[in-house]
Amino acid sequence: MESVAAVARSLRAGVEKSRALGQALARAGPRMEEIQLALPALEAAVRPIRAPRAELAAAGPHIDRAVGPAAAVLKVFDAVHGLEPPLLAAGAVAGDLAGYLAVLGRLEEALRFLSDNSGLAAQWLADIVEYLGDHDLADPRFLADLAVTLEGLKNPSGDLDGGLLAAALDMLEAEFRRLLADHSAPLALAMQQLNTTSASTAAPSLIPAATVHKLSLILDRLIANGRQDRCLSVYADARGGVVSDSLRALGLDYLRNPVDDAQALGPGVELWGRHLEFVVRCLLESERQLCNKVFGQRKDDASACFADVAAHAGILDFLSFGRAAADAKKDPIKLLRLLEVFDSLNKLRLDFNRLFGGKKACTEIQNQTRDLVKLLVDGAVEIFEELLVQVELQRHMPPPPDGGVPRLVSFVVEYCNRLLSEKYRPVLAQVLTIHRSWRKETFSDKMLVNAVLNIVKALEANFDVWSKAYDNVTLSYLFMMNTHWHFFKNLKATRLGELLGDAWLQEHEQFKDYYLTVFMRDSWGMVSPLLNREGLILFSKGRATAKDLVKQRLKTFNASFDEMFRKQSAWVIPEKDLREKTCGLVVQAIVPAYRSYMQNYGPLVEQDVSASKYVKYTVDGLEKMLSALFIPRPRRAGSFQIRHSNDKITSAMTGFYRSASTVK
């Protein structure tokens, strides 16, 4: 039993030892796993020691060659980070632009170095990693991770500086905006300049030369870094706003709402010419010079920017207004408007060429200007060549019923004198020359003069036709007297009259005298003989018989006088001097004869109960009546209707409608 007990104790002790050993092994398991995991790293760490000495020695130079460029790149990266404070400091740009641009230049240079060398340094390091792997000189897993990292560095992104360059450029752009804004006040004296000779020269730049230099320096850096479009937009908006604000005080709303009437366009065209000259020679020339200074040698950028500024100045609106004048209703007055518009453009031709010529960005302005000039030339020539025909077509229209001067006569005389004036003649000659040159034909000033003289002579030929349209021959005499005198008086001492010659003018004066004579002879000259004294002497002893004869002759005189006065009270003599002369002749023809007759024979009837039937007028009353004849009365609006050769009435030449009315 004791032996069994001893065995049992021995077995129990063995079991306890086995249990303790199992527990110890269980505790050692994780440690063994850790050791197992650490063995590859330890193996990698000791691999270079285990590697052959020759291979390790050969790897050294390769590693040195790769690490040198990488170290240089890292050094530049450190330098880039060192530039952050001076580039991002508040007010750094405005405080010292030159210094800021110098620092920015260092940043740009560093980034160019990094862009050129970062990928190359990464490639060299990747080659070393590959060499180490190929020769089993380092841990493969470590080398694999390193290779992935280096692969991403072979093609570096543009953000090598962490956004520092973009932030610096934003600050430069903000300074560019500020400089433009601080010096972009509108021209406060635009209207005053418009009314002085200074409007013909470029407005002095309100931007100091130092500021222009700063703008140019900033622009260089921004454009060099790909911000061209933003710069152009900022500049065009700022300077375009200046031009717009400068013009706002001029009141240019009329440009967008032109009337379709040549007569009403007159003040607008005159104002348009002055405004256009101010915009082109003052504002836009100043802006062109500024663009050239700011953009320097960047001609295309300057042109594009200037084109935008010109758009803000409404240059296309000015051209549209000119086109509206060209598209207005056909009218003789329209010819004057077309010549005025052409003259304004022609005076600015060199300025337009300097501002807009040869610039792709200004192509639309060039095309619209060219088209407008062609419209003006074609339209002016068409109207001018049609004037003679239109005057001839008026020949068969009725003359004024009151014997006055047809408005066509007044209009054509004044109109032709205006065409030959210093204001219009050279312009019209140039227009005609241009138009002929397009057709490979020549033109001379003499041809222009002859064309105008032919219009006047065609008008003169209308006189006889018009006079024959009157049923009353005496009225036709009055009409011819009026018309010839008006012709003479309004052509004398004029350019047109000089061209026609004194002999030609004197003929019209002689015609006036002739028709005045026959008018008096066949009208009032027939009245006074009715107060003759024939037979009164024979019956002087027979008072009753003489009295009856006086009554009869006074009755006949009164009837003839009343009829004559009634008719001629509706007639007019527009020219005051001719009217006074004619009335004087009428008074001289009637009043002395009436006074003498009444003095001698009036007493025979004045005591008669029916005296008022025969003695209707006193001498003074008769003189007042006759002195008040032929005074024009206001005419209501009327018109000559213009006909084409096919006798169809048209409103193609509505200027004759307004300016040559014949209807009272």
Side-chain angles (χ1 to χ4, degrees), residues 371-401:
D371 293 344
L372 176 56
V373 170
K374 189 174 189 312
L375 278 175
L376 295 172
V377 171
D378 288 341
V381 172
E382 180 183 3
I383 295 175
F384 181 72
E385 292 180 344
E386 201 171 308
L387 290 175
L388 176 61
V389 176
Q390 294 300 335
V391 170
E392 291 173 344
L393 289 174
Q394 295 296 318
R395 192 163 295 164
H396 303 291
M397 299 303 294

Side-chain angles (χ1 to χ4, degrees), residues 394 397-402 404-412 466 634-642 653-664:
Q394 295 296 318
M397 299 303 294
D402 57 9
V405 179
R407 292 188 181 179
L408 177 67
V409 175
S410 303
F411 175 77
V412 170
W466 284 334
R635 293 178 175 182
R636 65 178 178 84
S639 69
F640 270 127
Q641 291 179 316
I642 308 305
M653 302 286 281
T654 53
F656 281 134
Y657 287 20
R658 291 183 295 274
S659 305
S661 172
T662 64
V663 182
K664 288 177 60 180

Side-chain angles (χ1 to χ4, degrees), residues 15-37:
V15 170
E16 289 296 333
K17 288 181 180 180
S18 296
R19 184 180 294 114
L21 182 60
Q23 291 175 349
L25 289 172
R27 288 194 299 273
R31 293 182 62 192
M32 293 299 290
E33 291 178 1
E34 291 176 3
I35 292 172
Q36 183 67 29
L37 292 175

Side-chain angles (χ1 to χ4, degrees), residues 304-503:
C305 221
F306 177 73
D308 287 341
V309 173
H312 281 82
I315 194 68
L316 293 178
D317 289 337
F318 276 96
L319 295 177
S320 295
F321 180 88
R323 188 182 184 95
D327 292 338
K329 294 177 181 178
K330 204 172 184 183
D331 184 315
I333 297 299
K334 179 182 175 180
L335 173 58
L336 305 182
R337 300 291 89 83
L338 296 181
L339 295 177
E340 290 162 4
V341 174
F342 177 86
D343 187 39
S344 295
L345 289 175
N346 190 54
K347 288 177 180 176
L348 299 172
R349 179 170 53 86
L350 296 179
D351 302 275
F352 266 73
N353 289 339
R354 183 175 59 255
L355 293 175
F356 311 117
K359 298 180 177 68
K360 292 182 179 179
C362 299
T363 300
E364 184 177 3
I365 295 176
Q366 297 168 25
N367 292 338
Q368 288 203 25
T369 303
R370 191 180 303 110
D371 293 344
L372 176 56
V373 170
K374 189 174 189 312
L375 278 175
L376 295 172
V377 171
D378 288 341
V381 172
E382 180 183 3
I383 295 175
F384 181 72
E385 292 180 344
E386 201 171 308
L387 290 175
L388 176 61
V389 176
Q390 294 300 335
V391 170
E392 291 173 344
L393 289 174
Q394 295 296 318
R395 192 163 295 164
H396 303 291
M397 299 303 294
D402 57 9
V405 179
R407 292 188 181 179
L408 177 67
V409 175
S410 303
F411 175 77
V412 170
V413 168
E414 179 186 359
Y415 186 79
C416 289
N417 264 317
R418 293 179 72 181
L419 288 182
L420 294 176
S421 67
E422 292 300 320
K423 179 178 180 180
Y424 294 107
R425 179 174 175 174
V427 184
L428 179 57
Q430 186 175 8
V431 166
L432 292 169
T433 301
I434 292 173
H435 191 266
R436 289 293 186 93
S437 69
W438 291 345
R439 298 186 297 185
K440 308 299 182 182
E441 299 174 358
T442 59
F443 185 82
S444 65
D445 186 68
K446 184 177 181 180
M447 296 170 66
L448 168 59
V449 171
N450 289 337
V452 174
L453 294 182
N454 287 337
I455 294 172
V456 176
K457 292 175 181 178
L459 178 64
E460 180 187 21
N462 291 357
F463 296 172
D464 287 335
V465 178
W466 284 334
S467 69
K468 293 174 182 177
Y470 288 105
D471 294 331
N472 189 315
V473 177
T474 305
L475 180 57
S476 73
Y477 296 154
L478 181 76
F479 165 79
M480 293 294 275
M481 176 184 72
N482 277 328
T483 305
H484 282 288
W485 180 243
H486 181 87
F487 224 41
F488 170 80
K489 188 173 182 180
N490 287 275
L491 286 174
K492 187 178 181 181
T494 66
R495 179 58 179 157
L496 184 57
E498 292 175 4
L499 294 173
L500 290 167
D502 290 338

Side-chain angles (χ1 to χ4, degrees), residues 187-199 249-250 274 278:
L187 295 178
L189 301 180
M191 280 303 295
Q192 288 82 343
Q193 289 186 359
L194 181 60
N195 293 321
T196 65
T197 56
S198 63
L250 300 181
R274 295 168 58 207
F278 174 73

